[in-house]
Amino acid sequence: RYRRALHSFLISQSGTKLGAVTWEVSRAAGIHTHWQFLPVPSDLIKRGLVEAAFKIEAENEKYPVSFRNKDVGDGTGEKGDFFRVWVWVPGEEDVVNGRRDGEVKGADDEGEVDEKRGKQKCLVVPLNADFRFDLQFGRRVMGKLLGLEARMNWRDCAQTDEEETKDAEAFKEAFKKFDWTLED
C-alpha cells in the first residue's frame, strides 16, 4: 500500500517522467524486512535497462542463482531468504485520467502486475546460507546505472542531522495528501 501511495505521489510530481525501483532484502532469521525505494527516469525502465542492470550485476558477481520473474506477494510463502526488486513505470492513461488509487489486479506467471496505474515487474533471487549477499547490492546496481558511482555507498553521501531533518519535513509535507496513515 505504501509503494502504491509513493507511485501516486510520483505521478502527481512528474506525470510519466519517473518510474520507481524498490528493492527488498528478506531474511527468515532477520528482525525486520529491509526496503529501499528510488524514483528513476521512466525511460530506463521502458527500455529494460533496470531489469538488465540487476541481472548483469548478479552475473558479474557470480551469484549462485539467477533472478527470476516472479511475484512472491508478501513473501511469506517463500522458503528461505531472498532479494526482490519491483520495477514500476506509470501508464500514460493514468496521468490523463488522474488515477491515484493504484490497486493491484494480480500477477501473471512472469511476475508482471497490471496496476490501474502503470506496469510493475517483480524480480526475485533466492539467497542461500553459503552465499554472502551484499546488502548494498541494490544501491550499487542503481548507482552504476544512473552514473552515480560516488553515491553507491551510503556512508559516502551522508547528510548532517539538519539537512536530513529539513529533507524529511519537506517530503512529509509534499506526501501528506497521499499518506493514508494521516486519515481519520
Side-chain angles (χ1 to χ4, degrees):
R1 187 173 180 186
Y2 190 66
R3 273 185 312 104
R4 290 192 308 265
L6 286 167
H7 295 169
S8 296
F9 174 68
L10 285 179
I11 289 172
S12 77
Q13 299 297 304
S14 74
T16 60
K17 292 178 186 163
L18 292 175
V21 178
T22 307
W23 58 91
E24 168 189 20
V25 178
S26 180
R27 299 273 191 194
I31 56 171
H32 63 84
T33 299
H34 178 87
W35 280 24
Q36 289 190 29
F37 178 90
L38 181 66
V40 298
S42 290
D43 185 53
L44 292 177
I45 296 169
K46 290 176 184 175
R47 293 187 306 163
L49 297 177
V50 171
E51 183 178 349
F54 276 95
K55 290 179 177 181
I56 289 168
E57 188 69 15
E59 203 173 284
N60 289 345
E61 293 187 15
K62 302 191 183 350
Y63 276 35
V65 293
S66 302
F67 275 98
R68 64 188 192 277
N69 294 346
K70 180 182 178 189
D71 183 3
V72 295
D74 66 5
T76 56
E78 284 295 289
K79 292 178 173 49
D81 303 337
F82 62 90
F83 178 80
R84 169 176 25 192
V85 180
W86 289 278
V87 182
W88 171 83
V89 65
E92 295 290 334
E93 71 282 356
D94 304 310
V95 175
V96 172
N97 296 330
R99 293 183 180 159
R100 291 193 175 156
D101 53 0
E103 290 180 26
V104 175
K105 292 180 182 177
D108 64 17
D109 292 337
E110 297 298 312
E112 294 212 20
V113 176
D114 285 317
E115 295 183 326
K116 288 184 180 176
R117 282 187 348 276
K119 188 87 166 170
Q120 175 174 280
K121 184 171 244 184
C122 186
L123 306 170
V124 177
V125 65
L127 305 173
N128 64 46
D130 300 336
F131 179 72
R132 187 175 187 290
F133 179 74
D134 178 5
L135 295 177
Q136 297 302 310
F137 176 75
R139 185 178 181 108
R140 196 173 58 254
V141 169
M142 293 308 299
K144 286 180 180 179
L145 181 61
L146 295 170
L148 299 170
E149 287 87 350
R151 297 181 62 93
M152 290 192 312
N153 187 325
W154 63 272
R155 290 179 186 99
D156 296 335
C157 52
Q159 295 179 294
T160 65
D161 287 345
E162 184 179 310
E163 290 168 328
E164 192 171 318
T165 299
K166 183 180 174 186
D167 284 351
E169 292 304 321
F171 175 76
K172 285 178 191 176
E173 183 60 34
F175 186 66
K176 190 175 1 183
K177 68 181 177 180
F178 301 93
D179 189 349
W180 77 94
T181 65
L182 301 177
E183 295 172 0
D184 292 333

